[in-house]
Amino acid sequence: MDSQVLVAYATKYGGTAEIAERIGQVLREAGLRADVHPADRVSDLTPYKAVVLGSAVYMFRWRKEAARFLRANEKALAERPVWLFSSGPTDEGDPVELTEGWRFPKALQPIADRIQPRDVAVFHGVMDEKKLNPFEKWVIKNVKAPMGDFRDWDTITAWATAIADGLKASSPQSRTE
Ligand SMILES: Cc1cc2nc3c(=O)[nH]c(=O)nc-3n(C[C@H](O)[C@H](O)[C@H](O)COP(=O)(O)O)c2cc1C
């Protein structure tokens, strides 16, 4: 069981779930075993050799399920290789520039500092006006963020491929092929 990777995610409207599924698919195609689960459905990290955790971003914060996962599993995460990602900015251009340097919630940074993730990525997100509630529509109108699907599958795939390469290099016997 030591080659298993967990991809845990928190989403509101499903966009981040699809990113997590894509990461899981890339890891499996690279010969690793990967489980993709909502962060609030995972309570035991024992079976997992490595963890990828991602959340949708709302008002510069992670979804509470991802924040809780990070807090509840800090010790287990600190003992494993961990990759974090935020998915949010909707627009063309570098996602970190779009968020003016924001990468990860400030409130969670002390935990991340202790976990020492291998990487903290920011991916473009997706926004469908039909799904948003009136308050959300008002917020988005004010910040003038564009609607649409800006997720960059090539970047996400490359990121997941680098994770797979790193894990396979650190334990070649964990390959399933
Ligand atoms: C009310 C609201 C606030 C948002 N705030 C942020 C934000 O602070 N930073 C950001 O990068 N994206 C923000 N977004 C964009 C979402 O993160 C983006 O739509 C994301 O892909 C949603 O993921 P989900 O479908 O998994 O819920 C916001 C979207 C809404 C509707």
Side-chain angles (χ1 to χ4, degrees), residues 111-123:
I111 304 176
D113 289 344
R114 291 192 290 272
I115 290 171
Q116 295 276 307
R118 301 286 171 98
D119 193 22
V120 183
V122 181
F123 297 133

Side-chain angles (χ1 to χ4, degrees), residues 11-20 56 87 124-126 131 151 153:
T11 183
K12 183 168 187 187
Y13 291 118
T16 310
E18 289 174 356
I19 293 174
S87 90
H124 291 94
V126 51
K131 291 182 178 172
R151 289 171 297 176
W153 297 109

Side-chain angles (χ1 to χ4, degrees), residues 44-86:
D44 180 14
L45 298 190
T46 313
Y48 299 109
K49 176 195 165 196
V51 177
V52 180
L53 174 66
S55 177
V57 186
Y58 286 88
M59 320 280 250
F60 301 99
R61 296 165 79 166
W62 269 18
R63 301 280 300 160
K64 65 178 182 310
E65 302 90 330
R68 276 182 194 152
F69 179 95
L70 206 60
R71 286 196 186 96
N73 296 292
E74 178 184 324
K75 189 172 174 292
L77 291 168
E79 292 165 351
R80 289 162 172 75
V82 169
W83 285 262
L84 304 175
F85 71 90
S86 299

Side-chain angles (χ1 to χ4, degrees), residues 17-152:
E18 289 174 356
I19 293 174
E21 289 293 350
R22 177 74 191 132
I23 292 167
Q25 186 190 345
V26 171
L27 297 177
R28 284 184 212 111
E29 283 169 7
L32 296 161
R33 280 176 293 172
D35 286 349
V36 182
H37 291 306
D40 58 354
R41 299 277 174 82
V42 185
S43 51
D44 180 14
L45 298 190
T46 313
Y48 299 109
K49 176 195 165 196
V51 177
V52 180
L53 174 66
S55 177
V57 186
Y58 286 88
M59 320 280 250
F60 301 99
R61 296 165 79 166
W62 269 18
R63 301 280 300 160
K64 65 178 182 310
E65 302 90 330
R68 276 182 194 152
F69 179 95
L70 206 60
R71 286 196 186 96
N73 296 292
E74 178 184 324
K75 189 172 174 292
L77 291 168
E79 292 165 351
R80 289 162 172 75
V82 169
W83 285 262
L84 304 175
F85 71 90
S86 299
S87 90
T90 56
D91 210 341
E92 303 291 346
D94 182 272
V96 179
E97 279 176 25
L98 290 171
T99 54
E100 293 172 0
W102 187 97
R103 206 170 256 284
F104 187 75
K106 267 205 183 103
L108 300 175
Q109 191 59 52
I111 304 176
D113 289 344
R114 291 192 290 272
I115 290 171
Q116 295 276 307
R118 301 286 171 98
D119 193 22
V120 183
V122 181
F123 297 133
H124 291 94
V126 51
M127 221 161 23
D128 178 354
E129 191 165 10
K130 292 194 293 294
K131 291 182 178 172
L132 304 186
N133 66 39
F135 171 71
E136 291 170 335
K137 279 184 195 160
W138 177 82
V139 170
I140 295 306
K141 209 175 149 196
N142 271 281
V143 298
K144 298 188 174 72
M147 295 288 162
D149 189 351
F150 291 85
R151 289 171 297 176
D152 179 345

